[in-house]
Amino acid sequence: MVKKLQIRLLGEVSIQKNGKPIKGLPSRAAEALFLYLACNPKPIPRERLAELLWADRSTVQSLTNLRTILTALRRELGDHLIVTRDTLSFNTESDFSLDALEFENQMQEMGFPDHAALPADSATLEKLRLTLDLYRGDFLEGFYLRDGLGFEEWSLLQREHFRRLAQNGFRVFTLACLERGLYAEGQLAATRWSRFDPYNEEACRAQMWLLLRTGQRTTALQCYQNLKQKLSADLGVSPVSATTDLYRRFREIEVPAPIHLPTSPTEFIGRDEELTELESRLFAPESRLVTITGPGGMGKTRLAVQAARRIAETKPGRFLQGIHFIPLETLKNAEEMPIRVAEVIGFSFRGLEPPTSQLLEHLREQESLLLLDNFEHLLDPSGKGIGFLVEVLGHAPGVKLLVTSRERLNLYEEIVFNVHGLELPGDDVPAEKSDAMRLFVQCARRVRREFSLTGEDAGHVASICRMVEGAPLAIELASAWGRHHSCEQIASLISKDLDFLESPYANAPEKHRSLRVVFERSWSLLTAAEQIAFAQLSVFHGGFTLEAAQAVIGESRLVADLTDKSLIQRQPDERFYIHPLLQQYAAEKLAALSDALENAMTRHTGFYFDFLT
């Protein structure tokens, strides 16, 4: 039976059989012979091998030496050798692993050594990382054969070949980590990259960036000084201007970067997957504008702030000029936006030049994350609100925009991140682990310290959470009444009266005092045609198709407009859906529009009569 053989040649040489080191080889020459055969699997004439190992001996003597060590090799590793009268070769059909072969094959599959492009996705980057892990050190590190001049020449060429592969691999991996925000992994790779060439200024600059991104500006500056001294002492030259300019730039950067984020009175619960995806979106090089959309009360602001806070805590140097929360709700028009941005980031206007031009010039060389909250009311027909964002994207390549809005911006650069309710209890999610239930309990304990999910209450709380479909604001408003009502009563009152979901807290933000306030704000942002259409769509229960909607409201374009404004949701099965609380609100509006109500009911009945017949 063929035994499992593990051969490691990158770093200290190791030959193991069944997990145990091979100890029966008689000499370094025997070991060298086996390693050479493993790396050169084609049959090799005995004379050539003899000359490779004993160049200073006669042909007769070197062939005699070869036969002698071959006896021991066949005893220890015969299953992995193919021996003929004239040639020797490695048995590539045997059960073996060879790190050098695996490393080279994997690198060539990824396009090395001439590969220049960074990995396009996380899977490719991870594959490169695992491949580079095979490179524990130089090929045959510390392994020498005193009389084998030919073997030493061969091993030297192989060593340089693998070094070139590894050096380029660590370079690409370092730059990819820097681009993707993987700073700890990048620092380790940059250190290994620079070991191949301690005078490499590109490696030094990458290391400086990685250190700065992790808040280690002093160490980054020292990295430059060390390179400068080494270049001067060993080569009599100075760093190139790109490296020196980077050093000067780093000296002027404020560390730590300013963080302007609002505090939250309660712990952030759930949305782990959304946070991870949002962070990934913000780190992607091609991503400049991310818009978090969703109906009012869905937790867009909390999610955006939590994502920004997590970046500030885990990657403090990602945005060198800081992370800034910029509330827009109180702005009367888009013209005020540059002034509000300047106030938050600490920029002062000077001279007669227009404020927007001054702000754009200030942002031009900056790296910052601007969190623009509640943008929807600035989407006016003049387009000035959108125009300001376009100018920022065009003039400040290092600035990224994270926007919360009930309506998508419809910009080419925009990545829309739609937010739904919190995770509900179900067959796969126990009640105590449901994010919606956890939020209810957290908020209920603010008014009733001893509140807990007993068996009966758990069922009623689950009903409440399902009734509001995990909407965070609705859950908070409902739980606030836990001091005066039982969970069963709260569930009953919600189903009967939308106005019940009103905050009892004196300092609650005006926009979050009740769900009616939230919905009225969304309603006010609609055109007259959109208001009538949204109200008429409330006649549907359980969702509807585009054809059914068009039959009731008379125009399919309005369905797209209401979807963009987060008032209806498009499901994976191509059906459309209105949140139950929004549907309740829209039904109230429809009841006040007698003509619209009559038309909607008539068309609704007519459509389904034709559908069934």
Side-chain angles (χ1 to χ4, degrees):
M1 179 179 178
V2 178
K3 304 298 181 181
K4 179 68 175 179
L5 185 70
Q6 292 180 326
I7 310 171
R8 293 184 178 179
L9 306 183
L10 299 176
E12 184 179 355
V13 174
S14 170
I15 305 175
Q16 292 189 345
K17 190 174 183 180
N18 294 329
K20 297 180 180 180
I22 297 292
K23 297 182 178 180
L25 300 183
S27 64
R28 177 59 62 92
E31 191 173 357
L33 173 61
F34 183 73
L35 299 181
Y36 184 83
L37 291 172
C39 294
N40 298 274
K42 294 182 179 180
I44 302 173
R46 294 192 178 210
E47 289 81 0
R48 179 180 165 188
L49 292 171
E51 183 180 0
L52 187 81
L53 300 175
W54 298 283
D56 59 341
R57 306 290 178 89
S58 66
T59 301
V60 174
Q61 183 61 55
S62 58
L63 286 173
T64 300
N65 293 345
L66 182 64
R67 286 193 296 272
T68 301
I69 64 173
L70 185 57
T71 301
L73 275 177
R74 296 180 72 173
R75 182 175 62 249
E76 295 290 334
L77 299 163
D79 293 335
H80 304 279
L81 294 173
I82 299 176
V83 181
T84 70
R85 179 180 181 87
D86 300 316
T87 65
L88 301 177
S89 61
F90 185 80
N91 183 7
T92 57
E93 301 298 323
S94 64
D95 189 8
F96 79 102
S97 65
L98 175 60
D99 62 348
L101 178 63
E102 183 179 353
F103 178 75
E104 181 164 29
N105 288 342
Q106 295 282 4
M107 294 295 283
Q108 288 180 352
E109 281 183 16
M110 291 183 283
F112 291 93
D114 300 321
H115 191 289
L118 302 187
D121 50 52
S122 298
T124 306
L125 184 63
E126 176 63 10
K127 180 180 178 181
L128 178 57
R129 183 190 68 80
L130 294 173
T131 302
L132 291 172
D133 283 346
L134 294 171
Y135 195 87
R136 299 174 297 114
D138 284 338
F139 182 79
L140 297 184
E141 190 172 275
F143 188 97
Y144 299 100
L145 190 62
R146 186 178 59 184
D147 298 327
L149 181 60
F151 179 85
E152 286 298 316
E153 290 177 350
W154 167 79
S155 62
L156 179 62
L157 292 174
Q158 292 296 304
R159 188 172 298 125
E160 289 304 311
H161 167 69
F162 284 108
R163 281 178 65 87
R164 188 171 72 257
L165 276 177
Q167 181 175 354
N168 204 8
F170 282 114
R171 173 186 174 274
V172 169
F173 187 82
T174 299
L175 298 179
C177 288
L178 181 58
E179 183 180 84
R180 292 173 175 269
L182 305 172
Y183 304 134
E185 296 92 329
Q187 283 187 48
L188 293 174
T191 299
R192 299 191 68 179
W193 174 17
S194 61
R195 287 175 185 167
F196 292 102
D197 181 5
Y199 307 106
N200 190 312
E201 294 193 41
E202 185 185 13
C204 177
R205 291 194 296 271
Q207 184 75 287
M208 290 172 67
W209 273 115
L210 290 161
L211 290 166
L212 184 70
R213 296 294 190 195
T214 52
Q216 303 178 72
R217 187 183 67 164
T218 301
T219 309
L221 296 175
Q222 187 59 50
C223 184
Y224 168 84
Q225 294 290 358
N226 293 341
L227 174 69
K228 181 180 178 181
Q229 292 172 9
K230 190 168 187 63
L231 287 173
S232 176
D234 297 351
L235 304 178
V237 298
S238 299
V240 298
S241 59
T243 311
T244 302
D245 291 346
L246 189 64
Y247 170 75
R248 291 170 179 165
R249 179 182 175 186
F250 281 15
R251 291 181 62 182
E252 299 173 358
I253 291 176
E254 178 184 354
V255 177
I259 305 296
H260 299 129
L261 292 173
T263 57
S264 302
T266 57
E267 175 192 359
F268 186 86
I269 288 179
R271 299 205 187 275
D272 291 333
E273 290 184 6
E274 289 98 324
L275 285 170
T276 299
E277 183 181 352
L278 194 52
E279 183 176 348
S280 175
R281 295 280 192 181
L282 290 171
F283 281 150
E286 67 280 3
S287 173
R288 296 288 313 286
L289 168 64
V290 177
T291 306
I292 301 178
T293 63
M298 203 55 67
K300 299 183 293 295
T301 299
R302 284 294 302 271
L303 176 63
V305 170
Q306 183 66 17
R309 178 170 288 114
R310 198 159 87 164
I311 291 173
E313 292 173 353
T314 60
K315 297 179 176 64
R318 177 59 184 85
F319 295 101
L320 298 178
Q321 277 70 41
I323 299 175
H324 310 279
F325 177 82
I326 304 169
L328 304 175
E329 183 186 11
T330 59
L331 298 188
K332 296 179 181 179
N333 53 61
E335 286 86 347
E336 298 178 0
M337 205 182 325
I339 298 173
R340 174 58 57 84
V341 172
E343 288 175 352
V344 174
I345 68 175
F347 173 69
S348 299
F349 297 106
R350 294 181 177 85
L352 300 178
E353 190 177 357
T356 299
S357 299
Q358 293 188 48
L359 180 60
L360 291 174
E361 179 61 26
H362 175 71
L363 294 175
R364 187 169 60 87
E365 298 295 335
Q366 293 210 341
E367 287 186 11
S368 56
L369 175 64
L370 303 184
L371 201 170
L372 303 170
D373 188 46
N374 286 308
F375 196 90
E376 59 272 356
H377 72 293
L378 299 176
L379 293 168
D380 55 73
S382 70
K384 291 182 179 179
I386 288 294
F388 174 71
L389 299 188
V390 172
E391 287 187 290
V392 171
L393 293 172
H395 288 79
V399 173
K400 296 206 174 190
L401 303 177
L402 177 59
V403 179
T404 69
S405 174
R406 302 185 191 192
E407 181 177 353
R408 63 180 301 172
L409 310 183
N410 286 319
L411 286 176
Y412 181 79
E413 298 87 350
E414 180 184 29
I415 295 175
V416 178
F417 192 96
N418 198 24
V419 176
H420 302 284
L422 293 173
E423 181 185 52
L424 296 169
D427 295 338
D428 299 329
V429 183
E432 66 276 7
K433 292 186 178 181
S434 159
D435 293 337
M437 300 276 280
R438 288 169 57 212
L439 178 62
F440 188 98
V441 172
Q442 179 198 76
C443 296
R445 284 176 178 168
R446 295 165 64 189
V447 296
R448 245 177 74 196
R449 186 178 60 182
E450 72 282 2
F451 179 83
S452 62
L453 282 179
T454 62
E456 189 173 328
D457 274 348
H460 295 309
V461 172
S463 296
I464 293 170
C465 292
R466 293 192 189 99
M467 196 179 303
V468 302
E469 294 206 340
L473 178 60
I475 292 173
E476 290 184 14
L477 294 175
S479 63
W481 292 104
R483 185 174 181 177
H484 303 290
H485 301 286
S486 68
C487 294
E488 182 179 10
Q489 291 171 330
I490 292 172
S492 176
L493 288 167
I494 291 174
S495 64
K496 296 176 182 177
D497 184 8
L498 180 65
D499 288 325
F500 172 72
L501 290 175
E502 183 176 10
S503 175
Y505 299 119
N507 63 341
E510 184 63 32
K511 66 176 183 177
H512 287 163
R513 281 200 168 276
S514 71
L515 275 189
R516 183 169 295 280
V517 170
V518 172
F519 294 164
E520 286 290 350
R521 176 177 169 80
S522 294
W523 178 265
S524 69
L525 296 172
L526 300 178
T527 64
E530 289 170 343
Q531 288 178 346
I532 293 174
F534 180 53
Q536 289 180 320
L537 289 175
S538 67
V539 300
F540 292 103
H541 295 272
F544 50 89
T545 64
L546 180 62
E547 292 76 16
Q550 186 174 359
V552 170
I553 66 177
E555 187 180 344
S556 60
R557 174 60 187 271
L558 288 171
V559 175
D561 293 340
L562 292 170
T563 302
D564 284 346
K565 295 186 176 183
S566 303
L567 291 174
I568 62 178
Q569 308 293 324
R570 186 178 183 181
Q571 304 297 307
D573 61 0
E574 302 299 322
R575 290 175 62 81
F576 292 87
Y577 177 77
I578 302 177
H579 191 284
L581 297 178
L582 275 170
Q583 185 176 33
Q584 186 178 345
Y585 172 81
E588 291 180 9
K589 291 292 187 182
L590 183 62
L593 302 169
S594 57
D595 290 343
L597 173 60
E598 183 178 350
N599 289 336
M601 295 303 296
T602 300
R603 293 172 180 175
H604 181 272
T605 302
F607 175 80
Y608 282 105
F609 179 80
D610 292 341
F611 178 79
L612 293 173
T613 58

